[in-house]
Amino acid sequence: SQTIHQWPATLVQPVGSPLSLECTVEGTSNPNLYWYRQAAGRGLQLLFYSIGIDQISSEVPQNLSASRPQDRQFILSSKKLLLSDSGFYLCAWSPRTEYGYTFGSGTRLTVV
Amino acid sequence: GENVEQHPSTLSVQEGDSAVIKCTYSDSASNYFPWYKQELGKRPQLIIDIRSNVGEKKDQRIAVTLNKTAKHFSLHITETQPEDSAVYFCATSFGNEKLTFGTGTRLTIIP
């Protein structure tokens, strides 16, 4: 069966520091991968999605970037965090040829 | 791009009563309509979904109805229980690529 791993679970970082959040999927190949952000009490904002190793689309221009160094690994990064980057970051995956969208357990980021 | 509107934003119902949450979408090409439940501090989890070739789908106390002509779909929860309290999100997609989510409904079940 397929599983999605996301870490760390919580993170407190100072303004201006870098960020790296990692997500991996097991038990499948060539998945679609996504990064979402959820501000406190708000909806789900799609940040990046990838349908292949060299195919990453950005939905919202900002100081975040995403990379996919391996087929089942998706990384969210920032060189310099802003206070407004605080939120609940969720990785998700979907199969290439079937419906279904599964979220990771999330990373709660607080920028101080 | 796709725009999904979800109503109401908050909903309180007595335990045992029914709850209905409605979403409208803009892209007539959308063909997949899932609903997610998110408990406090947890990840959203899929509770039911429907595809465009079906008008209604039921799973025990939960049902989803789809009206493609009017471009809206609804979540129905019957015989509500305290554990149904959560935030519910609707979503749409064309094919199996990115989902566009509604803004969420905070459902509170009053004992």
Side-chain angles (χ1 to χ4, degrees):
Chain A
S1 64
Q2 302 90 4
T3 55
I4 179 169
H5 301 280
Q6 186 180 341
W7 66 92
T10 60
L11 196 56
V12 180
Q13 292 283 99
V15 168
S17 63
L19 173 74
S20 180
L21 303 180
E22 189 164 341
C23 173
T24 59
V25 181
E26 293 179 355
T28 188
S29 59
N30 208 17
N32 295 334
L33 296 170
Y34 312 86
W35 278 110
Y36 280 86
R37 178 170 63 197
Q38 188 175 34
R42 308 293 291 275
L44 296 156
Q45 179 187 35
L46 179 62
L47 301 176
F48 300 94
Y49 71 99
S50 171
I51 61 171
I53 280 188
D54 296 321
Q55 297 174 280
I56 297 175
S57 298
S58 172
E59 290 291 298
V60 183
Q62 54 201 331
N63 68 321
L64 299 172
S65 62
S67 62
R68 187 169 176 171
Q70 300 178 43
D71 177 48
R72 292 170 292 168
Q73 185 183 27
F74 206 26
I75 296 173
L76 182 70
S77 304
S78 174
K79 292 182 180 177
K80 287 186 177 181
L81 284 169
L82 308 172
L83 286 174
S84 57
D85 291 324
S86 294
F88 191 42
Y89 288 80
L90 289 154
C91 180
W93 79 277
S94 66
R96 179 54 56 90
T97 57
E98 297 176 17
Y99 295 97
Y101 211 83
T102 304
F103 284 92
S105 53
T107 296
R108 191 162 303 281
L109 172 66
T110 304
V111 182
V112 296
Chain B
E2 173 72 285
N3 182 45
V4 181
E5 294 189 0
Q6 183 172 346
H7 299 282
S9 57
T10 61
L11 179 61
S12 295
V13 301
Q14 289 290 139
E15 183 178 351
D17 288 350
S18 296
V20 181
I21 303 169
K22 183 175 175 179
C23 287
T24 58
Y25 60 97
S26 59
D27 189 350
S28 56
S30 293
N31 61 1
Y32 177 59
F33 308 91
W35 284 90
Y36 285 80
K37 175 183 180 182
Q38 186 179 28
E39 297 176 349
L40 191 62
K42 303 285 183 65
R43 76 185 89 182
Q45 293 199 301
L46 178 69
I47 56 172
I48 195 167
D49 58 8
I50 194 168
R51 300 185 193 181
S52 59
N53 58 345
V54 176
E56 181 176 358
K57 184 177 178 180
K58 270 186 168 180
D59 182 3
Q60 299 182 337
R61 297 187 296 108
I62 294 173
V64 56
T65 58
L66 171 65
N67 184 327
K68 283 219 76 180
T69 303
K71 291 191 282 187
H72 66 71
F73 58 111
S74 300
L75 176 71
H76 305 253
I77 306 174
T78 59
E79 300 171 26
T80 53
Q81 301 169 4
E83 54 265 36
D84 294 329
S85 293
V87 178
Y88 292 81
F89 292 96
C90 64
T92 70
S93 73
F94 173 68
N96 67 335
E97 290 195 11
K98 57 176 181 172
L99 286 172
T100 300
F101 284 86
T103 48
T105 297
R106 183 174 300 279
L107 175 63
T108 302
I109 307 302
I110 305 166

